[in-house]
Amino acid sequence: MESVYCTIMTKSRLYQFLALISSLNKVRAGEFRFHVLCVDKETYNLLKKLNWDHVIATRDKELGEDILALKKERRIHEYCWSLKALWLETIFQKNPEVMRVTFMDSDLYFWDDPELIFNVQPDCSVLLSREEKYHPDWKGNFVKRLKRLTGEYNSGFISFKRDKMGTACLAWWREKTLEACRIDPRKGIFGDQRYLNEMPKLFSNICDITTAGVNVGIWNYRKYTFFEKNGQVFIDRTPLIFYHFSGVRVINQDNKVEIVHGTHENTPFVFTIYQNILTQLVTKVREVEPLFDGFATKEDLQKYW
């Protein structure tokens, strides 16, 4: 069964995407295909120029004029959220040999093979990653309010199998995100993400990922003790499969690559590793295309909600 990965990207996420690809090259030994939907020409042109193995770049305009019209109506992050399910469907349609497509946010970084997740639950039509909300100072009522706002799951890592329930669920998600993909707590909308709460209610064979070490991020990192042994990162005694650097932005601070984020208390050492990798990749991009600027814009540095 061929399993492929995909994402949607603007140029201000390019450096982080290259870090994601670098991590997959390590844990998959280059054995993967990654489909990227580029929403600006700068990102597309640079990926074509880099010509990295296993990366297939596509422009959003190939999805049609009706879809491009959304670009004028929605903020750029809402536009990207709106295209997620459609992009997953498009990959299935154009690649009949593909039996599983997994969406990955560009700010993921892998320390172990993502295929381990799918091997544990090969029969699930859709695999959802819970957004476990934990902080030692958070009370139960506050956590409940957060869950009502953002949902039980995180849409930065979601996997669909080409079967009856998988494709039906994906089609439903596509309709919902094209209809509305903003943050509107009064209407129970949180981008593309809160729709995931409804998937197990509406469709059968929708599974929570049971593999440990998945989707650790700002929402729960305080729960774990991080340590490294023989190049493998562990959380407590569990190997970390991937860390989700949600909210991290790459900036140019006095000609030095810096990352800004909201993880200020007991920041795990994986952030230092991540910044060092990003610094190397920014240098590599400058060697290929000196005029490319993939640093965060003022809009990127603003909170969505």
Side-chain angles (χ1 to χ4, degrees), residues 13 16 81 84 104-109 111 129-133 138 150 153-157 183 190 192-193 215-221 242-250 259-264 267-268 270-271 274 278 300-305:
R13 299 291 187 273
Q16 289 170 280
W81 295 339
K84 192 178 294 186
M104 299 179 178
D105 273 355
S106 57
D107 51 11
L108 307 188
Y109 190 89
W111 271 273
S129 53
R130 281 199 172 268
E131 188 175 279
E132 179 189 35
K133 295 170 175 65
W138 290 351
T150 68
Y153 300 101
N154 184 275
S155 61
F157 185 90
I183 294 176
F190 191 83
D192 60 0
Q193 182 165 289
N215 202 41
V216 179
I218 191 171
W219 36 79
N220 66 348
Y221 78 97
F242 71 85
Y243 194 94
H244 191 160
F245 288 93
S246 179
V248 168
R249 300 291 181 262
V250 185
I259 59 175
V260 293
H261 51 87
T263 312
H264 301 303
T267 305
V270 293
F271 276 76
Y274 194 54
L278 288 168
D300 291 318
L301 297 174
Q302 295 175 352
K303 290 185 177 181
Y304 298 148
W305 53 286

Side-chain angles (χ1 to χ4, degrees), residues 50-105:
L50 287 170
N51 195 30
W52 279 25
D53 292 338
H54 324 299
V55 175
I56 302 101
T58 303
R59 278 298 310 275
D60 58 342
K61 63 183 180 181
E62 294 187 28
L63 298 179
E65 292 298 325
D66 290 347
I67 298 303
L68 280 181
L70 289 176
K71 206 171 189 176
K72 299 176 182 178
E73 301 169 5
R74 301 183 181 183
R75 298 171 66 187
I76 190 63
H77 59 275
E78 295 172 347
Y79 175 66
C80 292
W81 295 339
S82 302
L83 300 187
K84 192 178 294 186
L86 176 62
W87 180 225
L88 286 155
E89 275 193 328
T90 301
I91 294 168
F92 272 138
Q93 292 166 1
K94 292 190 174 183
N95 301 273
E97 76 283 1
V98 170
M99 298 304 293
R100 177 181 295 282
V101 182
T102 303
F103 185 92
M104 299 179 178
D105 273 355

Side-chain angles (χ1 to χ4, degrees), residues 23-247:
S23 72
L24 287 171
N25 270 322
K26 292 177 183 177
V27 301
R28 292 288 302 155
E31 295 296 322
F32 65 92
R33 282 169 55 198
F34 208 115
H35 294 263
V36 185
L37 185 66
C38 305
V39 302
D40 54 65
K41 64 181 180 181
E42 293 91 345
T43 300
Y44 179 80
N45 291 342
L46 182 63
L47 287 177
K48 284 296 187 180
K49 201 165 187 177
L50 287 170
N51 195 30
W52 279 25
D53 292 338
H54 324 299
V55 175
I56 302 101
T58 303
R59 278 298 310 275
D60 58 342
K61 63 183 180 181
E62 294 187 28
L63 298 179
E65 292 298 325
D66 290 347
I67 298 303
L68 280 181
L70 289 176
K71 206 171 189 176
K72 299 176 182 178
E73 301 169 5
R74 301 183 181 183
R75 298 171 66 187
I76 190 63
H77 59 275
E78 295 172 347
Y79 175 66
C80 292
W81 295 339
S82 302
L83 300 187
K84 192 178 294 186
L86 176 62
W87 180 225
L88 286 155
E89 275 193 328
T90 301
I91 294 168
F92 272 138
Q93 292 166 1
K94 292 190 174 183
N95 301 273
E97 76 283 1
V98 170
M99 298 304 293
R100 177 181 295 282
V101 182
T102 303
F103 185 92
M104 299 179 178
D105 273 355
S106 57
D107 51 11
L108 307 188
Y109 190 89
F110 285 84
W111 271 273
D112 213 335
D113 187 353
E115 295 297 319
L116 295 171
I117 301 167
F118 315 134
N119 293 341
V120 171
Q121 297 169 278
D123 298 324
C124 292
S125 298
V126 181
L127 285 168
L128 301 174
S129 53
R130 281 199 172 268
E131 188 175 279
E132 179 189 35
K133 295 170 175 65
Y134 172 84
H135 188 285
D137 297 333
W138 290 351
K139 305 300 181 183
N141 287 338
F142 177 72
V143 171
K144 287 180 182 178
R145 288 200 302 272
L146 272 182
K147 287 182 178 181
R148 283 198 298 269
L149 175 65
T150 68
E152 295 281 352
Y153 300 101
N154 184 275
S155 61
F157 185 90
I158 182 170
S159 186
F160 289 84
K161 188 176 179 180
R162 188 198 289 270
D163 63 15
K164 184 178 180 180
M165 282 298 108
T167 53
C169 182
L170 184 55
W172 172 85
W173 193 31
R174 183 244 305 148
E175 290 179 4
K176 300 303 288 186
T177 52
L178 290 179
E179 177 186 315
C181 214
R182 60 192 180 277
I183 294 176
D184 189 344
R186 292 174 300 175
K187 294 187 176 181
I189 300 172
F190 191 83
D192 60 0
Q193 182 165 289
R194 206 173 182 283
Y195 294 122
L196 275 54
N197 279 19
E198 305 305 312
M199 289 180 178
K201 303 172 187 176
L202 297 173
F203 303 93
S204 61
N205 210 30
I206 312 299
C207 306
D208 285 16
I209 292 171
T210 59
T211 307
V214 169
N215 202 41
V216 179
I218 191 171
W219 36 79
N220 66 348
Y221 78 97
R222 289 290 301 275
K223 184 177 180 179
Y224 303 105
T225 298
F226 289 72
F227 71 94
E228 187 175 16
K229 184 178 181 181
N230 299 326
Q232 173 67 57
V233 175
F234 291 81
I235 49 171
D236 298 337
R237 296 183 179 274
T238 300
L240 176 63
I241 294 184
F242 71 85
Y243 194 94
H244 191 160
F245 288 93
S246 179

Side-chain angles (χ1 to χ4, degrees), residues 247-283:
V248 168
R249 300 291 181 262
V250 185
I251 63 170
N252 185 350
Q253 184 71 36
D254 298 326
N255 236 6
K256 181 182 178 183
V257 177
E258 298 281 357
I259 59 175
V260 293
H261 51 87
T263 312
H264 301 303
E265 302 171 336
N266 300 323
T267 305
F269 66 85
V270 293
F271 276 76
T272 302
I273 296 173
Y274 194 54
Q275 174 154 333
N276 290 339
I277 291 167
L278 288 168
T279 299
Q280 295 169 19
L281 289 167
V282 169
T283 300

